[in-house]
């Protein structure tokens, strides 16, 4: 049955700009990073951080994240690189696609931790600030999968079915009639995840405002919501993937990571939000003062005041 309406897929994912190939996948990743940094900057400054600190941390986190994402992809899907007829050098071809979000967040977190430690910034507070931006970045990045005619589910004739072409890695393969070869119409898994991520970002922003999430709980909520969506979306996908007991590896990963995120949310429940304070004339090298409670600046002149935390969890309203 031919669907009444379909979502078209691009027939080209790479354009030549002189000697340089311009890849839609890479542009979407870059656009996502820019969006994440912009959102995080707004949220970080609102929490008391200094303007520009997000970009300083991104200089460390982004390269680590890209490396981690690629490592996870190669380790979890080694056949194209180290299997029969595989090409190990292609493991370095990030521009062809293939970044695992699990590795990107894990190793990106290591990069962020290094940068935060260098500047005396509490990593959990920074993670809370950047959490919604990461979801938006992942949503924008999924458009790269659309350009590459990848990340789709099983066949369907629903009105929002996605038309998929036979693909050679750069563009659609042409048939004898000179037209792109269409493999069929499928569930647009990339679109499901894109919309889920945007909805999850809105939930994180709402929950953060409503409950004044702190100590990494906004970040944990992001992880939990993302994993919940990734769990069912992963079950729809039909592209080749390594499996455990007949189930895609990423389904297990989403379940385990999601449960750990929920456990962290429960563990940290009731702790009031940190408030970052910068002293007047701060040149950017002075660590921020991390306090908890109503947001009033510490009044102690003790040299160790920046290391003390005041716990007022009993009078914090709206604790989930």
């Amino acid at each position: 049955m031919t669907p009444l309406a379909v979502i078209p897929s691009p027939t080209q994912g790479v354009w030549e700009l002189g000697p340089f190939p311009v890849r839609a996948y890479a542009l979407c990743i870059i656009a996502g990073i820019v969006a994440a940094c912009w959102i995080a900057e707004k949220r970080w400054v609102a929490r008391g951080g200094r303007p520009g600190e997000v970009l300083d941390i991104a200089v460390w986190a982004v390269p680590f994240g890209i490396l981690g994402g690629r490592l996870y992809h190669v380790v979890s899907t080694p056949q194209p690189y180290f299997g029969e007829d595989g090409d190990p050098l292609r493991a370095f071809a990030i521009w062809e696609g293939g970044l695992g979000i699990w590795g990107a967040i894990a190793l990106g977190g290591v990069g962020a931790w290094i940068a935060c430690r260098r500047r005396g910034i509490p990593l959990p507070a920074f993670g809370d600030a950047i959490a919604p931006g990461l979801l938006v970045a992942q949503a924008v990045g999924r458009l790269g999968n659309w350009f590459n005619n990848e990340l789709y589910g099983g066949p369907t004739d629903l009105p929002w079915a996605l038309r998929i072409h036979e693909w050679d890695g750069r563009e659609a393969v042409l048939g004898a009639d000179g037209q792109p070869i269409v493999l069929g119409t499928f569930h647009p898994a990339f679109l499901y995840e894109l919309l889920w991520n945007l909805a999850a970002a809105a939930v994180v922003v709402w929950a953060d405002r409503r409950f004044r999430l702190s100590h990494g709980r906004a970040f944990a909520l992001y992880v939990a919501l993302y994993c919940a969506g990734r769990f069912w979306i992963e079950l729809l996908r039909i592209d080749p993937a390594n499996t455990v007991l007949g189930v895609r590896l990423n389904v297990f990963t989403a379940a385990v990571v999601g449960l750990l995120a929920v456990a962290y949310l429960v563990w940290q429940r009731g702790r009031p939000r940190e408030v970052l304070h910068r002293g007047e004339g701060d040149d950017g090298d002075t660590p921020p003062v991390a306090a908890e409670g109503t947001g009033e600046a510490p009044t102690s002149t003790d040299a160790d005041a920046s290391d003390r935390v005041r716990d007022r969890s009993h009078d914090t309203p709206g604790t989930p």
Side-chain angles (χ1 to χ4, degrees):
M1 181 182 297
T2 302
L4 298 178
V6 297
I7 299 174
S9 287
T11 58
Q12 187 172 359
V14 182
W15 297 269
E16 301 296 335
L17 186 61
F20 304 104
V22 178
R23 301 178 184 273
Y25 183 88
L27 293 178
C28 291
I29 296 296
I30 293 171
I33 293 172
V34 171
C37 289
W38 182 80
I39 294 171
E41 175 78 4
K42 297 291 185 181
R43 288 172 54 82
W44 181 243
V45 172
R47 280 177 174 254
R50 287 180 59 84
E53 285 180 326
V54 168
L55 291 180
D56 292 339
I57 295 172
V59 169
W60 284 83
V62 171
F64 272 74
I66 292 175
L67 176 60
R70 188 60 175 178
L71 283 174
Y72 180 88
H73 170 74
V74 172
V75 171
S76 62
T77 313
Q79 292 84 354
Y81 314 105
F82 306 106
E84 185 177 356
D85 299 324
D87 181 4
L89 292 179
R90 286 186 59 205
F92 299 97
I94 296 177
W95 53 87
E96 293 182 357
L99 293 174
I101 186 61
W102 318 107
I105 295 299
L107 210 55
V110 172
W113 174 78
I114 294 173
C116 284
R117 185 176 177 83
R118 287 165 59 92
R119 298 190 64 86
I121 293 172
L123 180 61
F126 182 79
D128 286 339
I130 199 173
L134 291 177
L135 282 163
V136 172
Q138 289 171 235
V140 175
R142 282 308 179 198
L143 291 174
N145 299 121
W146 176 59
F147 273 99
N148 281 355
N149 281 241
E150 59 189 6
L151 211 167
Y152 51 88
T156 183
D157 59 358
L158 290 169
W160 56 85
L162 176 68
R163 179 187 295 124
I164 292 295
H165 304 103
E166 185 175 344
W167 200 253
D168 68 358
R170 297 171 62 94
E171 58 188 5
V173 176
L174 302 181
D177 59 356
Q179 297 300 313
I181 298 175
V182 176
L183 299 179
T185 56
F186 304 85
H187 278 284
F190 89 90
L191 181 60
Y192 296 159
E193 187 171 328
L194 185 157
L195 296 176
W196 180 276
N197 288 345
L198 293 179
V203 171
V204 171
V205 170
W206 169 81
D208 192 32
R209 291 176 177 174
R210 172 66 177 81
F211 302 111
R212 294 182 61 80
L213 300 177
S214 63
H215 297 280
R217 286 192 298 155
F219 188 88
L221 179 60
Y222 143 59
V223 174
L225 290 174
Y226 174 76
C227 288
R230 184 64 182 266
F231 184 89
W232 66 268
I233 293 171
E234 195 71 28
L235 292 173
L236 291 176
R237 294 174 61 172
I238 61 174
D239 52 304
N242 288 335
T243 61
V244 177
L245 301 177
V247 180
R248 296 170 69 96
L249 174 62
N250 282 332
V251 173
F252 286 100
T253 305
V256 172
V257 175
L259 289 174
L260 290 174
V262 171
Y264 184 88
L265 278 167
V266 175
W267 176 41
Q268 295 293 320
R269 183 177 183 273
R271 298 189 67 179
R273 185 196 292 266
E274 315 95 317
V275 179
L276 302 178
H277 299 285
R278 293 293 200 179
E280 293 184 6
D282 181 12
D283 61 2
D285 294 325
T286 304
V289 177
E292 296 185 8
T294 62
E296 298 176 354
T299 58
S300 170
T301 58
D302 191 296
D304 295 326
S306 64
D307 296 325
R308 292 204 299 267
V309 175
R310 293 176 293 155
D311 189 351
R312 299 181 187 173
S313 59
H314 61 278
D315 62 4
T316 302
T319 300

